Amino acid sequence: MDLESRPPRQSHLHSPVTIRGVTLKNRIMVSPMCMYGAGIDGLATEFHIVHLGRFALGGAGLVMVEATAVEERGRISNGDLGLWSDEQIEPLARVARSISSLGGVAAIQLAHAGRKAAISAPWNGMSPLTAEDAMRGDAPWPVIGPTATPAGSGWQTPRQLTIAEIPGVIQRWADATRRAMDAGFDVVELHAAHGYLIHSFLSPISNTRTDEYGGSWQNRLRFPLELVDAVRRSMPDEKALMYRTSSVDGVEGGLSIDDTVRLAEALVEHGVDVVDTSSGGVTAERSLDTRVRRGFAFHAGFSREIKQRTRALTATVGLVIDAEQAEALVREGFADIIAVGREMLNDPNWAHHTQRVLEGANYDAWRQESGWWLDKREAVIDRLLAKGETPLSLFD
Ligand SMILES: Cc1cc2nc3c(=O)[nH]c(=O)nc-3n(C[C@H](O)[C@H](O)[C@H](O)COP(=O)(O)O)c2cc1C
């Protein structure tokens, strides 16, 4: 039976969801992915407009801009986007307009890399910047953290933030949120995973402070919650707030899923809508023994646990590459939103393609500029295949 004659079905993956005043047309989110392509000034470029707009054109409900630094010293690399100054608003507003004009909801991940700042791009080693990197214009800068302990051997020793400095750092997140709102984003995600600043305050592995921001669970939770409060106050009520966690540290004595469940419940109390479940990164040591095994949908179990044990909506991410797999994750209650990273780089039309697979849909959801032609082309291809012709018939 060809796609035309199949009755349309409504899939779980392509059902809408409303979070506060924000409605996603489907459950598919483009996961934040650093492109290391901004200038030293952290400005979004034509590349970001096309790159991110293309995912909206491909049918994704939620398109998340990569980790965007709330202050200059919080950049992961010299190529990070930033929202630490008003000049950075308009270039990102163009990105947001590109996404929303093409049917997606525009989201931005705000970030501060903390003690894991100042590294090189993946193709230059993804490691702490050195004097040699500085020679080719990629210079390091001093980094900060909850404690003066480096993320790993060969990494910069961060300067420990004083208590007096903490409100100023939190204010930067609030200011960046206000700028994200001015730029037209409907969703903000706090990057609180992968060993970056927020995560490094929560984890006992990276936070060994002895003041009110370290030690007990309540003390380690203080920085994340004060920050969430400040961000929530900087957004209108109808905009949605997401929080990316490292659900487990994967290190002896580190955060466990039970900790993250406790965290998620507290986050909901403080106005977070969606907990986006990633893992790892608290130290820079890459231990294959302790990190979460990279199977298909490798964070889905964490997402399900948080969904079952708290009031949070959840997103899962990690090797979701297939329509039926994504559909089952939503249908079986593993997650409300499916974040897709590298598969989107492989196929920016992934969302559209999954709808065809799951719902037997034609090209109606596509922009007619391409959908009209693909519809006609499909009828021709179907006819040829029915007659036994293949693309290789010419060579028989
Ligand atoms: C090029 C690249 C850049 C990434 N940058 C970010 C980022 O800015 N923020 C973040 O939270 N995760 C980042 N990640 C992790 C992805 O969002 C995602 O969690 C991970 O790639 C696993 O999902 P996937 O298997 O669908 O790619 C990045 C991953 C890649 C491949």
Side-chain angles (χ1 to χ4, degrees):
M1 186 163 48
D2 64 26
L3 288 172
E4 291 279 345
S5 52
R6 265 191 233 159
R9 295 172 268 135
Q10 169 77 73
S11 65
H12 292 80
L13 187 63
H14 286 271
S15 63
V17 58
T18 298
I19 307 164
R20 295 181 184 252
V22 180
T23 298
L24 314 185
K25 67 182 173 189
N26 58 44
R27 309 309 185 95
I28 300 168
M29 156 178 159
V30 178
S31 205
M33 282 180 284
C34 289
M35 293 286 112
Y36 309 91
I40 193 102
D41 44 11
L43 297 178
T45 63
E46 304 304 317
F47 164 73
H48 296 96
I49 297 171
V50 174
H51 164 69
L52 291 155
R54 187 64 189 79
F55 299 125
L57 194 57
L62 184 66
V63 180
M64 177 86 63
V65 176
E66 67 188 70
T68 299
V70 300
E71 64 173 2
E72 214 168 347
R73 66 182 168 177
R75 289 169 303 155
I76 299 166
S77 78
N78 276 309
D80 284 24
L81 292 176
L83 257 185
W84 64 81
S85 86
D86 286 352
E87 287 69 59
Q88 292 161 329
I89 297 173
E90 183 46 32
L92 276 168
R94 278 186 229 133
V95 173
R97 284 198 292 273
S98 161
I99 295 167
S100 47
S101 69
L102 295 168
V105 167
I108 187 162
Q109 188 185 53
L110 297 180
H112 190 307
R115 68 179 188 164
K116 290 180 82 179
I119 67 164
S120 55
W123 33 91
N124 291 324
M126 218 174 178
S127 50
L129 288 168
T130 60
E132 207 174 294
D133 294 307
M135 303 261 282
R136 47 170 191 81
D138 202 2
W141 58 92
V143 305
I144 54 159
T147 317
T149 321
S153 72
W155 285 65
Q156 267 194 65
T157 300
R159 188 175 62 71
Q160 176 169 332
L161 276 175
T162 65
I163 282 215
E165 286 176 299
I166 288 177
V169 172
I170 289 176
Q171 187 57 42
R172 302 263 154 68
W173 289 81
D175 293 343
T177 303
R178 192 260 305 154
R179 293 188 186 104
M181 296 296 102
D182 288 351
F185 288 96
D186 284 319
V187 178
V188 165
E189 177 170 274
L190 304 179
H191 197 343
H194 306 168
Y196 297 138
L197 190 66
I198 304 179
H199 178 198
S200 70
F201 264 90
L202 187 68
S203 174
I205 300 294
S206 42
N207 181 351
T208 52
R209 296 175 76 101
T210 52
D211 59 16
E212 67 205 67
Y213 287 92
S216 68
W217 169 255
Q218 284 308 333
N219 280 358
R220 282 182 283 115
L221 194 58
R222 195 177 309 282
F223 180 80
L225 290 187
E226 286 181 353
L227 197 148
V228 165
D229 288 343
V231 164
R232 191 71 257 183
R233 278 196 301 272
S234 308
M235 306 168 69
D237 274 356
E238 67 271 17
K239 304 270 182 160
L241 181 57
M242 298 179 63
Y243 186 103
R244 179 165 271 201
T245 59
S246 277
S247 311
V248 296
D249 277 340
V251 173
E252 189 66 35
L255 294 173
S256 67
I257 185 63
D258 288 332
D259 293 323
T260 304
V261 165
R262 271 203 289 174
L263 165 70
E265 198 49 48
L267 292 174
V268 171
E269 293 281 341
H270 287 255
V272 168
D273 304 298
V274 181
V275 175
D276 176 10
T277 51
S278 187
S279 71
V282 71
T283 70
E285 316 300 346
R286 294 200 178 123
S287 164
L288 291 179
D289 302 334
T290 50
R291 77 171 193 168
V292 174
R293 194 184 78 82
R294 266 44 182 167
F296 291 115
F298 53 89
H299 292 127
F302 302 131
S303 171
R304 180 170 60 170
E305 194 139 352
I306 293 165
K307 209 170 142 43
Q308 284 176 344
R309 294 172 59 190
T310 75
R311 290 167 296 156
L313 297 175
T314 66
T316 189
V317 67
L319 276 187
V320 180
I321 58 166
D322 175 80
E324 300 287 358
Q325 176 201 22
E327 171 69 0
L329 287 167
V330 180
R331 188 187 62 231
E332 304 301 327
F334 281 78
D336 301 282
I337 294 174
I338 307 298
V340 180
R342 291 161 295 176
E343 183 57 23
M344 283 289 177
L345 300 180
N346 178 46
D347 176 11
N349 287 328
W350 190 82
H352 276 331
H353 288 144
T354 58
Q355 192 169 19
R356 282 170 53 72
V357 171
L358 296 171
E359 300 186 353
N362 56 20
Y363 289 95
D364 280 357
W366 298 50
R367 292 264 304 196
Q368 66 176 357
E369 293 89 334
S370 45
W372 191 90
W373 294 101
L374 294 175
D375 223 18
K376 302 287 168 278
R377 186 189 71 145
E378 183 157 87
V380 174
I381 294 171
D382 282 349
R383 263 202 312 279
L384 292 173
L385 294 177
K387 281 198 274 174
E389 237 183 276
T390 76
L392 290 178
S393 294
L394 179 65
F395 309 102
D396 284 345

